Amino acid sequence: MSELVPGGNIPLPGGPVSVRVPGAFDVSALVTDDGGKVDGDGDFVFYNQPQVPGARLRDDTLTVDPTRLRPGATRVTVAVSPSDPGTGLGALPSPTLHVTDARGRALARFTPVRPRRETVLLLVEFYRRGEGWKLRALGQGYADGLAGLARDFGVDVVDEAPEEPPGRAPAADSDGFLALVNSARSAAGSRPVFADARLVSAARAHAAAMAAAGALSVETRDGVSVHQRVVLAGYTYLTVGEHLVSGPRTPAEFVTYCLRAERTRRTLHDAAFTHAGWAYAAAPSGDTYWTALWAVPFTPDGLARTTAEVVDLTNRERGRAGLRALTVDPRLTAAAQAHSADMVARDFYSHTDPDGGAPWDRAAAARRTVGENIACGQRSAADVVEGWMNSPGHRANILQADFTHIGIGLAGGGRAGTYWTQLFGG
């Protein structure tokens, strides 16, 4: 039996496979294609819809038969939430998922890092690889329940519209903010972004905190950063960007301000972003403080694409130096992903974790020679590789001739936004 860590995977035998999560948890699942989206509401398996083609939920056990999934389905993502909707996962023991084959033989077990404020946790995903299927451990949290999880995977969720507090921009584009933003993005050749109520909620909280303090800041007096507010509002992201601005009085003035400088214009125009949230608040001094948030929601496919891009860019740099390309090692990948997730979960930024674990400990089972780069705050694969290449120590790891293999980890939600780990082995 395999003990999985975040990012770790195992091949699955033919036939049905069951995953069981004992305890005070509800199990649910989403059946998706390679793009990470459902085909319709019928692809959501939960207590009110316990069976769809190829997947059946009974009590605490979900059974998946990949051969019987709907046409086009290539992934099944399994999540857990507390049985009591008013309870956060942090109030419960960390869920343990048990994987068994059709004969009841144990295949794997996975216990993620204990969540904090999240109410839903993505545990594992079944995914097709060639003619076979594999199971990968995830351990990614959501803070606004099954509705937020389902929404990000493409399920139509109808929420009652909350009453809008006075003096701040609502989720709907009643102030014209989104139309101005999307006009600027269109002129730059970028697709439009869409308002997300969770990002709006996070923006309101941060704008209000800055106005109360009378100062622009990524982290306000309450010790919460703007990136952490996004996750607390229930939006689990793959990448996030922000504009923190004081002075503009209207959306038109705000957009004009952002277009003046290359750095702020680059964020506004960034083609990767799909969702937005914005708010403004007046300080006692009369100044107006703005928070605008831009984000891409987390999906397992998005994580896989981003980490693969880091590998590709790293190998391009090695190719320019006349070095051989690095090969992805699943064990290094699992160790790198676990370290990025740990930095977010335990709020630290270091090669050494709070328990004293170091890179050579994380990769000892995989390689004899080990190197590690970490970074935080970069919004894309290109940004993080460029940053490493501009740092002599990190560059030396990337261009180390003795290294033969690589693993990449990426997690969002900490104080600095995104946390990257690049683990090398030889």
Side-chain angles (χ1 to χ4, degrees):
M1 182 181 71
S2 299
E3 291 283 351
L4 296 174
V5 298
N9 62 76
I10 59 168
L12 295 177
V17 174
S18 295
V19 293
R20 174 175 174 264
V21 185
F25 303 101
D26 284 335
V27 179
S28 56
L30 293 122
V31 180
T32 65
D33 56 20
D34 283 335
K37 295 296 183 181
V38 299
D39 192 44
D41 294 354
D43 282 344
F44 189 19
V45 184
F46 66 119
Y47 46 81
N48 280 340
Q49 185 169 264
Q51 187 164 347
V52 303
R56 183 183 70 253
L57 177 63
R58 288 185 178 176
D59 299 323
D60 60 1
T61 302
L62 175 77
T63 301
V64 176
D65 186 347
T67 64
R68 296 182 178 275
L69 293 170
R70 64 162 175 82
T74 58
R75 293 180 186 269
V76 179
T77 303
V78 181
V80 293
S81 54
S83 299
D84 177 4
T87 302
L89 285 170
L92 299 172
S94 190
T96 296
L97 178 139
H98 302 265
V99 187
T100 56
D101 66 13
R103 296 183 180 181
R105 293 178 298 190
L107 300 176
R109 181 170 58 192
F110 175 50
T111 303
V113 174
R114 185 174 180 178
R116 295 186 293 174
R117 300 177 178 86
E118 295 86 349
T119 57
V120 177
L121 191 67
L122 301 185
L123 278 182
V124 295
E125 63 171 355
F126 295 78
Y127 65 101
R128 189 170 66 194
R129 178 59 57 87
E131 297 301 317
W133 283 74
K134 290 188 172 185
L135 182 115
R136 175 161 46 218
L138 298 174
Q140 180 72 43
Y142 276 73
D144 67 342
L146 287 179
L149 170 68
R151 186 185 296 113
D152 284 346
F153 278 76
V155 178
D156 289 331
V157 178
V158 179
D159 294 325
E160 291 185 5
E163 182 179 349
E164 299 294 344
R168 294 177 174 83
D173 195 27
S174 61
D175 61 355
F177 179 93
L178 207 57
L180 289 165
V181 164
N182 283 331
S183 176
R185 288 174 63 85
S186 177
S190 298
R191 60 185 173 179
V193 290
F194 299 91
D196 186 279
R198 295 161 295 175
L199 293 177
V200 171
S201 176
R204 284 179 183 148
H206 201 74
M210 290 193 300
L216 293 173
S217 56
V218 172
E219 183 176 317
T220 49
R221 288 177 179 174
D222 54 8
V224 182
S225 78
V226 65
H227 312 107
Q228 291 171 313
R229 293 190 201 280
V230 172
V231 174
L232 291 173
Y235 189 102
T236 307
Y237 60 83
L238 183 67
T239 187
V240 67
E242 74 287 333
H243 283 114
L244 308 178
V245 178
S246 66
R249 294 163 297 177
T250 66
E253 290 181 6
F254 176 88
V255 172
T256 298
Y257 169 87
C258 292
L259 291 174
R260 285 176 183 166
E262 192 280 332
R263 182 180 62 84
T264 52
R265 183 169 59 248
R266 180 182 176 189
T267 299
L268 188 71
H269 287 166
D270 194 324
F273 294 133
T274 58
H275 294 95
W278 65 97
Y280 53 88
S285 63
D287 291 335
T288 302
Y289 286 80
W290 289 79
T291 299
L293 297 168
W294 323 95
V296 176
F298 172 87
T299 65
D301 279 347
L303 175 63
R305 285 193 300 270
T306 304
T307 54
E309 187 178 355
V310 174
V311 174
D312 179 62
L313 291 169
T314 299
N315 281 332
R316 290 185 194 181
E317 296 294 345
R318 289 177 64 86
R320 293 188 183 102
L323 300 172
R324 60 181 172 179
L326 302 173
T327 301
V328 174
D329 184 316
R331 293 171 295 177
L332 292 177
T333 298
Q337 185 62 36
H339 188 60
S340 287
D342 195 26
M343 286 191 287
V344 170
R346 293 201 279 177
D347 194 18
F348 73 97
Y349 177 65
S350 172
H351 291 284
T352 303
D353 66 35
D355 299 324
W360 43 88
D361 301 317
R362 289 189 277 279
R367 298 287 158 189
R368 289 180 297 178
T369 306
V370 175
E372 183 178 76
N373 290 337
I374 60 174
C376 63
Q378 291 82 359
R379 297 171 185 165
S380 70
D383 286 346
V384 74
V385 173
E386 180 183 4
W388 282 328
M389 287 300 293
N390 288 334
S391 166
H394 297 96
R395 180 188 179 92
N397 274 337
I398 289 175
L399 301 183
Q400 169 61 258
D402 292 339
F403 290 146
T404 58
H405 289 74
I406 189 172
I408 304 297
L410 167 61
R415 293 177 188 274
T418 48
Y419 289 71
W420 306 77
T421 301
Q422 188 180 45
L423 194 55
F424 303 92

